[in-house]
Amino acid sequence: MGSENEGIVFVGRKPAINYVMAATLQINRGVKKIVLKARGRAISRAVDVAEITRLKYFPGKIRISDIRTGTEEIINPDGSRRDISVIEIELTQE
Amino acid sequence: MGSENEGIVFVGRKPAINYVMAATLQINRGVKKIVLKARGRAISRAVDVAEITRLKYFPGKIRISDIRTGTEEIINPDGSRRDISVIEIELTQE
């Protein structure tokens, strides 16, 4: 079906409502599946974005269809490495 | 069968490794399914606990079998209410 039917929202350090608005905009344009992506401490915020979008903005219309976690390796400016957790939350229009 | 086969670890504000140890202890005692529960900002830490337990302590032996999110209402001491996101991450022995 092409790119119109899937959207990605990267959740970072801004307030959750900013990302809720980004997801809402895409859903209202007809995008059927939105993937919220976050890592590290922004993971909690991504869950907030999913819950607020689902319950307050599209009650009964959007559901969380999948949640996946993983681990990525970050290379710091000094060359050291550390692991960071990542999450992907899939929102789908019913 | 019975309670020995399911354990719960509440993930709060302590370092992730504390909760990894709590989960590891239960797994080593033969508990087949561990549910990590967290809310608010501890959600990111619960994902860290799941990823560290899975990849570093039980590689190939433990998998994330389910991730559920939800919203709970908190009543503050002054009587006001606010919503908080919650997560449950299910770890299962292969």
Side-chain angles (χ1 to χ4, degrees), chain A residues 41 44 48 51 69 71 85, chain B residues 41 44 48 51 64 69 71 85:
Chain A
R41 276 184 279 182
S44 305
D48 287 343
E51 286 293 312
T69 63
T71 299
S85 299
Chain B
R41 275 183 279 183
S44 304
D48 286 343
E51 287 292 313
I64 296 172
T69 64
T71 300
S85 299

Side-chain angles (χ1 to χ4, degrees), chain B residues 2-21:
Chain B
S3 63
E4 279 300 315
N5 276 314
E6 187 164 335
I8 297 174
V9 174
F10 292 96
V11 178
R13 295 180 187 183
K14 293 177 188 166
I17 193 69
N18 293 39
Y19 307 107
V20 172
M21 289 297 106

Side-chain angles (χ1 to χ4, degrees), chain A residues 40-45 47-52 54-56 64 67-71 83-87 89, chain B residues 40-45 47-52 54-56 64 67-71 83-87 89:
Chain A
R41 276 184 279 182
I43 287 173
S44 305
R45 191 167 300 119
V47 172
D48 287 343
V49 172
E51 286 293 312
I52 295 167
R54 175 175 80 84
L55 292 174
K56 298 211 169 140
I64 296 173
I67 305 179
R68 300 177 291 271
T69 63
T71 299
D83 288 338
I84 194 164
S85 299
V86 299
I87 200 166
I89 304 174
Chain B
R41 275 183 279 183
I43 287 173
S44 304
R45 192 168 298 118
V47 173
D48 286 343
V49 172
E51 287 292 313
I52 294 168
R54 177 174 80 83
L55 292 174
K56 299 212 169 140
I64 296 172
I67 305 178
R68 300 177 289 271
T69 64
T71 300
D83 288 339
I84 194 165
S85 299
V86 299
I87 199 167
I89 305 175

